[in-house]
Amino acid sequence: MLSTLYAASLYGIDAVKVDVEINVTGGIPSFTVVGLPDNAIRESRERILTAVRNSGFDLPPKKITVNLAPADLKKEGTAFDLPIAIGLLGSLKLIKNRFPDTLIMGELALDGSIRRINGALPVAIMAVKEKIKRLIVPLANAAEAAVAISASKADTLVFGVETLNETADLLNGKTKPSPVEVNVAELFQKEPEYPVDFADIKGQQAAKKALEIAAAGGHNLLMIGPPGSGKTMLAKALPSILPPLGFEESLETTKIYSVASLLEKDHPLMVTRPFRNPHHTTSNVALIGGGTTAKPGEVSLAHNGILFLDELPEFTRNALEVLRQPLEDREVTVARISVTTKYPAGFMLVAAMNPSPAGALKDRDGNLTASPQQIQRYLSKISGPLLDRIDIHIDVPKVENTELFSASAAESSRAIRERVIRAREIQHQRFAAVTSPRIYTNAQMQSKLIRTFCKLDPESSQKLMDAMNRLNLSARAHDRILKVSRTIADLEGSETIEMRHLIQGIQYRNLDRDFWSF
């Protein structure tokens, strides 16, 4: 007898509907899975048969054939265990064949219990698009899947199950559990908790202002300063002044974490911007994504948030160079022989480095801590094209003792965030008519939009030309200066870029001028 039901396969951060066909006939007992399954699916035979028997079902010796359609798309993962087992029981008439408009996903343990799967959120989003009426997933994934249903206000019902027997009873109508529901609005009502507030940071007023500008325009930023100057603390405080995640951003970010199996059980939706801080020994694959199953890397896990690279020159040259594509395109392409996968990578790059391989540029006596050649070699680890893609370069000097012991209160993150949100609202209104591609911040502007929204008066144009000639700036650096200047003007509520905005934007190109004066 033939049974058919639905499952799903993940491709990047999206899911594709898969028809699971199970045919049971007489003949030499066997269990065959066709339809481009990976090793995890091929190995499911023993898990499924053992789980079915341990759940109390009697399996006669039969020839079992499982087809996963469409057959020309590769299927991966252990989430096909449960749909295959349910289809098998349906073909043996141990479950009523009541599978119309039902999508089932889950990994089986040998005792018949059901384990958590990856990618429940994209599966639920696909189920809504395909107008599937009933979605059965592991109980640990039920809230995650229900987020998509609640947000879309679809009539798809989500049920969370813990065992194979529980699933069989649900399909046989022996139990009538309530579908899982999630109040999405309630998830966004909680005030995020940040580890560092700007009020906790002593001094560094210039650096704080630069971070405010970076947050307001979504600009990449590089901090240069000696050890102990507060670069890492400033970076960790940056999320506290970023605008809150919108629902669309939250859903897209959550999809990435769902696919990567990094979503916390008690947090079915990402409501705070991610902050990723990989170690400098991180490999190219871990940074950009890939591996045998093309998993998302750190650049994708930082989507809609911050990727912080501390000790930037200590990363391998290859690891830094792979950042160039996602910084430019806001997505990353992971190519394999069987499939090419695209992951979003719209992150803010925040990097920190020492001015010298020895740490501080000069010692207490004013002498260089390393030779000019060593310093130049240290700096050359960061290529010019990568530096061009970083909008703001700032000096973070050592904090003076008078500032460190000062009792005066610094400005809080909440106050700074209010200014950042106002600047972002100006940008949203400015780019509301731009739909292809959809952009939200000044940092995302391409050449055409820069010419439209970053016009300069003749005096300011001459000032920028002089700076380009004096500093030998590239065309990309020219565009970055204009975008940063536009953000500075937005923070002041100015409709035009004034001379003072442009001068400040030029000053944020430290590494384009003679920053290391020996």
Side-chain angles (χ1 to χ4, degrees), residues 65-111:
T65 304
V66 180
N67 180 44
L68 306 177
D72 60 340
L73 292 178
K74 187 172 179 62
K75 323 299 186 305
E76 297 177 342
T78 57
F80 288 93
D81 290 2
L82 184 59
I84 293 174
I86 292 297
L88 173 59
L89 294 176
S91 294
L92 294 171
K93 298 184 178 180
L94 297 173
I95 291 181
K96 296 175 184 178
N97 199 355
R98 298 171 56 189
F99 305 142
D101 293 328
T102 301
L103 191 150
I104 304 174
M105 298 291 284
E107 177 186 340
L108 282 173
L110 296 183
D111 62 354

Side-chain angles (χ1 to χ4, degrees), residues 210 391-395 463 467 470-471 473 481 484-485 488 499-513 515:
D391 306 358
I392 299 175
H393 312 157
I394 57 168
D395 179 25
K463 181 71 173 179
R470 185 175 71 256
L471 304 176
L473 298 178
I481 289 173
V484 171
S485 302
I488 297 170
M499 176 67 79
R500 66 180 184 278
H501 305 143
L502 179 65
I503 291 174
Q504 190 174 351
I506 294 171
Q507 289 175 343
Y508 285 133
R509 302 297 302 182
N510 270 348
L511 294 186
D512 291 325
R513 49 194 172 91
F515 180 72

Side-chain angles (χ1 to χ4, degrees), residues 11-26:
Y11 293 92
I13 62 170
D14 296 312
V16 177
K17 186 176 73 172
V18 174
D19 294 345
V20 181
E21 302 170 336
I22 300 94
N23 190 57
V24 178
T25 61

